[in-house]
Amino acid sequence: MSHSIGILFIVATPIGNRTDISARALDTLRTVSLVAAEDTRNSGALLRHYGIDTPLTALHDHNERSAAPALIQKLQSGLSVALVSDAGTPGISDPGALLVDAALNAGITVTPIPGPSAVTTLMSACGFLQNSFLFVGFLPAKASARAHELLSLKTQTATLVFYEAPHRIVECLSAFGEAFGLERRLVIGRELTKVFETVHRCTLGEALLWIEEDPNHQRGEFVLAIEGAPPQEAPDVSTHDVLLQDLLEKLSVSDAVRLAVKITGENRSKLYARALELTPNKNDN
Ligand code: SAM
C-alpha cells in the first residue's frame, strides 16, 4: 500500500503578544503529528495556552544538523511536522534553514504559515519612505568585526534593519554613530507587541542620549532600523554607453541620439556629445 509523504509547515508564532497568532497557524499546530520547537518548554506553554496537545521535539541551533534526518524520515513516512522557533518566524535569525534545505532536497513539500517577525513589525511602523530594506540581523559581537561590517553598509541606500541584545545596545548605537554619522534617522523598536513596547524615532546622535537617559530604555528586546544613505547623483550619461553603442551600430548619430533620448529621458545635448565621443570616425548621415 502506498502512502503520501508528510508536509513540513514553517509556522510563525508571536514575538510577544500571545494573541498575534493566526487561525491557520493554530489549526496547523493542532493537526500535525509533531511540533519541532527551538525550546520545547517555551513552545509547550504557547500550545497549552491554546489547548493544543501535539507532541513536541527539540530542534535548535546545536542539534539541527543531527536532528534533521530523523524529522525527514518521519515526513517521508507520512507524518506532517510543524517547525516553530522561540518567537516570530523560523529561519529569521533563528534555526530552520537547515531542516528546510534537507526537506526540499528530499522532495518534501514545505509550506510556510506566515505571521509575526520583529523585522517586518518594525518596518511597518518606521515611516521611512524608502521601499527597500536590508535585513542585517545580529552584528558580530567583536567591536572590530562590527565596525568593519557597518563600514561596508555606509553607502547602502536601502533602510538597514538590525537585531540587538540589551547588553550590547549602548555600544551598538555608538558604533552606528561612528559608521554613519550622527544625522541619519533611526527607529528603535523595543519590546514590540509587549507591555513596555516603544517605537522611538530620532537621529543617531539623539539615540545615544535617549538610551542613556533612562536605564529602562536599555532593557528588553531590540530591533533597529536606520535610514539608508542618500541616493547617489543621477547616473552619469556614460551609463548609457551600451545603449548608445548599440544604436550607433545601425543608425546615424542624430537618429541614435533621438532614440536614446526617448528611451532614457536623458538630456539631448549630453547624449549627443557622448555619441560623438563614442564615434570619432562616424559621419552623421
Ligand atoms: N525569528 C525572530 C523574528 O522573526 O523576528 C527573531 C529571533 S532572534 C533569535 C531574536 C531577536 O529578535 C531579539 O534579540 C530581538 O533583537 C528581536 N526581537 C524579537 N522579538 C522582539 C520584540 N518583541 N521586540 C523587539 N525585538 C524583538
Side-chain angles (χ1 to χ4, degrees), residues 15-16 38 85 87-94 116-119 135 138 162-166 189-194 220-223:
I15 57 166
E38 192 183 0
S85 64
T89 304
I92 309 295
S93 295
D94 262 344
S117 184
V119 46
F135 176 61
F138 289 102
F162 303 88
Y163 285 168
E164 195 47 279
R190 175 179 160 260
E191 293 286 273
L192 294 176
T193 78
K194 303 187 204 177
E221 296 197 280
F222 289 90
V223 49

Side-chain angles (χ1 to χ4, degrees), residues 155-236:
T155 55
Q156 175 57 249
T157 52
T159 298
L160 303 169
V161 191
F162 303 88
Y163 285 168
E164 195 47 279
H167 64 277
R168 273 203 284 268
I169 190 70
V170 174
E171 52 177 298
C172 169
L173 289 177
S174 45
F176 284 164
E178 269 180 47
F180 305 131
L182 299 179
E183 297 307 315
R184 275 219 218 163
R185 287 190 300 174
L186 157 91
V187 179
I188 301 174
R190 175 179 160 260
E191 293 286 273
L192 294 176
T193 78
K194 303 187 204 177
V195 179
F196 295 107
E197 176 180 86
T198 313
V199 177
H200 182 74
R201 192 164 81 170
C202 58
T203 64
L204 283 177
E206 291 160 348
L208 276 170
L209 300 175
W210 182 83
I211 205 82
E212 278 176 340
E213 79 192 4
D214 181 345
N216 286 323
H217 291 173
Q218 299 168 26
R219 299 209 170 103
E221 296 197 280
F222 289 90
V223 49
L224 309 155
I226 299 182
E227 209 168 24
Q232 306 290 314
E233 296 262 291
D236 190 73

Side-chain angles (χ1 to χ4, degrees), residues 23-36:
R24 187 168 168 231
L26 291 174
D27 272 353
T28 304
L29 294 171
R30 194 170 284 119
T31 50
V32 290
S33 302
L34 189 63
V35 174

Side-chain angles (χ1 to χ4, degrees), residues 120-173:
T120 47
T121 305
L122 184 67
M123 284 315 292
S124 71
C126 78
F128 293 158
L129 298 180
Q130 172 60 260
N131 267 329
S132 51
F133 67 85
L134 177 68
F135 176 61
V136 184
F138 289 102
L139 285 165
K142 245 182 96 189
S144 56
R146 182 174 53 209
H148 192 258
E149 180 156 350
L150 289 177
L151 213 59
S152 77
L153 296 167
K154 194 179 165 116
T155 55
Q156 175 57 249
T157 52
T159 298
L160 303 169
V161 191
F162 303 88
Y163 285 168
E164 195 47 279
H167 64 277
R168 273 203 284 268
I169 190 70
V170 174
E171 52 177 298
C172 169
L173 289 177

